[in-house]
Amino acid sequence: MPLTKSANLEIVDYLLSAEREGYEVTKVTERYPDLTIDDAYSLQKQLIERKVQDGVKRVGVKRVGVKLGLTSKAKQEMMGVHEAIYGYLTSDMLGLEWEPIVFNQLIHPKAEPEIAFLMGEDLCGTNLTEEDVLKAVKYVAPALEIIDSRYLDFKFTLPDVVADNCSSSRFIVGSNWIKPDQVNLANIGMVMSKNGEVATVGAGAAVLGHPAKAVAWAVNKLGEHKEGLKKGDIVLTGAVSEAISFRSGDSIHAQFADLGSVSFSCS
Ligand code: OOG
Ligand code: MG
């Protein structure tokens, strides 16, 4: 049975309050065990619309791009969810390398090293390939995503995580923007360190074989809902290794071969 309008509103409120106030909540599927993936993507859309509407009244929150999740084996094994997902990036999530992330605004954050794309053209369709994606990408850059599931102990099922906008919380893009044809994105190696010690290693190919292939998957999925990527969008193509937890006082650094590095500290 589809969710009623009031159930939709209630779940969106539930997840948005948990994010705003920084507390954990039980999974949506505990109350709604029949929640489908389609219901979950619809909840995600309503959640982003609400965030943008509420934000306009306060600080002007805008949609700025799309993120992919669970595109790597390492992440799928880690979370016990074996399917890729997508969510939205909004302007309030954008962190800066020189501005510490404030730990007490978050619940149980983790950092993920990712390759970011900046779109030079709109891209919409249901049959697009890796090559189509690469043609529409203007620049690639190193990035760190901070995920912070609103669910208890960071545990969820596929519909839960989709409804929660794929655990999105913050993201930081490094300042080294390069043209996509100047690097072999699948071969790029990455080392992520916490407080100067190596924490995880990965490579561009970890993301469904090639980050552009992962983006083609997401665009085709978005296309089924008559949506797509827009010129100027930032796309986080998915973690190239496991995520690592951090807390106040920690600093995280991801070094990508050919792409340069990106880092943040947490206050
Ligand atoms: C879901 C989001 C995963 C990625 O890059 O794989 C993600 C989660 O693990 O909480 O953003
Ligand atoms: Mg991610």
Side-chain angles (χ1 to χ4, degrees), residues 34 88 92 99 149 159 175-176 247:
D34 301 331
Y88 288 97
D92 55 323
E99 229 172 55
S149 170
S175 48
N176 193 32
R247 30 189 326 109

Side-chain angles (χ1 to χ4, degrees), residues 67-70 75 79 112 114 145 154 156 166-167 238-239:
K67 69 158 275 182
L68 278 64
L70 307 177
K75 281 288 312 186
M79 307 319 294
E112 298 184 322
E114 309 212 5
E145 180 179 23
F154 228 112
F156 42 69
C166 307
S167 312

Side-chain angles (χ1 to χ4, degrees), residues 85-106:
I85 52 181
Y86 67 83
Y88 288 97
L89 300 172
T90 49
S91 50
D92 55 323
M93 296 178 190
L94 186 59
L96 301 169
E97 283 197 285
W98 55 89
E99 229 172 55
I101 296 292
V102 182
F103 186 72
N104 65 16
Q105 291 175 351
L106 305 174

Side-chain angles (χ1 to χ4, degrees), residues 33 38 52 65 73 88 91 96 103 121 146 209 222 259 264:
D38 282 346
V52 169
K73 271 267 168 308
Y88 288 97
S91 50
L96 301 169
F103 186 72
E121 290 166 31
I146 297 171
L222 284 162
L259 275 187
F264 69 85

